[in-house]
Amino acid sequence: MSLDLSKIEVILDAGHSRQTPGKCSPDKSLYEWKWNREVLELVKQRLDQLNIKYYVLHTENTTLNGSESKDLIVRANRANARYKENKAKGITTILISIHVNAAGNGTSWMNATGWSAWTSFGKTGGDKLADALYDAAEEYLNPLELRIRTDMSDKDRDYESNFYILKKTNCPACLVENFFMDSKTDIEFLKSDFGKDVCANIIAKGVLNYCSKL
């Protein structure tokens, strides 16, 4: 059974904001908050083409008084309010938070590489969404011979963490870590138009995969 695409809304979240300290490549050529928003705009274009509704969770300057914790509380509250509104209308809501990974503190190049998806701990609605995103990642990244990172310790591919936006959001939610900004292997791909397109395509196809399995 597939879900009627008119009955789904994707909450899109671009992680962090201009004021978030750190969160950039060692050579300062990639700032995560900016990259996340650029890819989110590409995802919006693809969802428009598919006639899938979306709701942008953040604003251009979401961090309140420089506090990431306050920012995350605002984002989670907005997401839950939207989920409640949609549920009353019979609309299925999912959340995808867009990020770039880092292995270090942003001051030196590291060796980690690859794409991954994260959910909160335990069996949640986010697991099906993560699975759909991993299927899309395999479709786009395997032909490019780019690494897909997995954690099979709980018998599924996604990683688990207490990320606030996942733990405090009521709808199925997944956080996508699009390669590593402190990897010389990953960063040129991330900065390229082609790389951004690929990362956006994974998210859009992941949404379609999710809808086809409901």
Side-chain angles (χ1 to χ4, degrees):
M1 177 181 180
S2 61
L3 180 67
D4 180 353
L5 296 182
S6 68
K7 297 294 185 182
I8 186 167
E9 182 174 84
V10 185
I11 297 177
L12 295 173
D13 174 53
H16 310 296
S17 71
R18 189 189 299 266
Q19 284 76 18
T20 307
K23 305 297 182 184
C24 64
S25 61
D27 63 357
K28 304 295 191 294
S29 66
L30 185 152
Y31 285 83
E32 186 183 358
W33 72 271
K34 185 174 184 292
W35 189 95
N36 294 342
R37 282 156 177 73
E38 290 171 351
V39 171
L40 184 144
E41 290 300 316
L42 296 175
V43 174
K44 284 168 57 178
Q45 293 174 15
R46 285 149 180 76
L47 295 182
D48 280 334
Q49 293 167 359
L50 296 167
N51 292 315
I52 296 175
K53 295 186 291 294
Y54 54 81
Y55 171 78
V56 178
L57 185 60
H58 67 279
T59 61
E60 177 60 26
N61 179 15
T62 320
T63 300
L64 305 177
N65 300 319
S67 171
E68 185 84 343
S69 59
K70 290 182 180 178
D71 172 25
L72 291 169
I73 292 169
V74 169
R75 292 186 192 222
N77 288 343
R78 286 178 181 163
N80 288 335
R82 190 70 177 185
Y83 167 70
K84 184 177 180 180
E85 291 175 14
N86 285 340
K87 187 176 181 180
K89 299 174 185 176
I91 297 173
T92 296
T93 308
I94 59 175
L95 182 147
I96 298 175
S97 188
I98 301 170
H99 289 255
V100 185
N101 215 336
N105 60 9
T107 60
S108 59
W109 296 106
M110 308 295 287
N111 294 323
T113 183
W115 180 100
S116 60
W118 297 68
T119 64
S120 54
F121 284 108
K123 296 298 180 183
T124 69
D127 292 331
K128 288 183 179 179
L129 178 55
D131 198 45
L133 287 162
Y134 267 102
D135 287 345
E138 290 178 359
E139 178 180 339
Y140 282 98
L141 299 180
N142 284 350
L144 300 174
E145 298 184 345
L146 294 174
R147 184 182 178 191
I148 300 173
R149 301 170 66 91
T150 60
D151 176 10
M152 299 300 296
S153 60
D154 62 345
K155 298 183 173 56
D156 58 20
R157 291 172 285 182
D158 61 86
Y159 289 79
E160 295 184 343
S161 178
N162 277 324
F163 292 137
Y164 193 94
I165 197 64
L166 301 178
K167 183 173 64 172
K168 296 296 185 179
T169 302
N170 295 331
C171 65
C174 190
L175 186 149
V176 179
E177 292 281 15
N178 294 281
F179 299 94
F180 284 76
M181 71 183 87
D182 55 4
S183 162
K184 289 185 176 180
T185 302
D186 287 353
I187 192 165
E188 294 307 319
F189 175 76
L190 284 168
K191 291 192 298 183
S192 69
D193 289 341
F194 176 71
K196 293 172 188 175
D197 280 336
V198 169
C199 292
N201 288 340
I202 290 170
I203 293 172
K205 184 59 186 297
V207 172
L208 275 180
N209 290 345
Y210 180 84
C211 294
S212 71
K213 295 179 180 180
L214 293 179

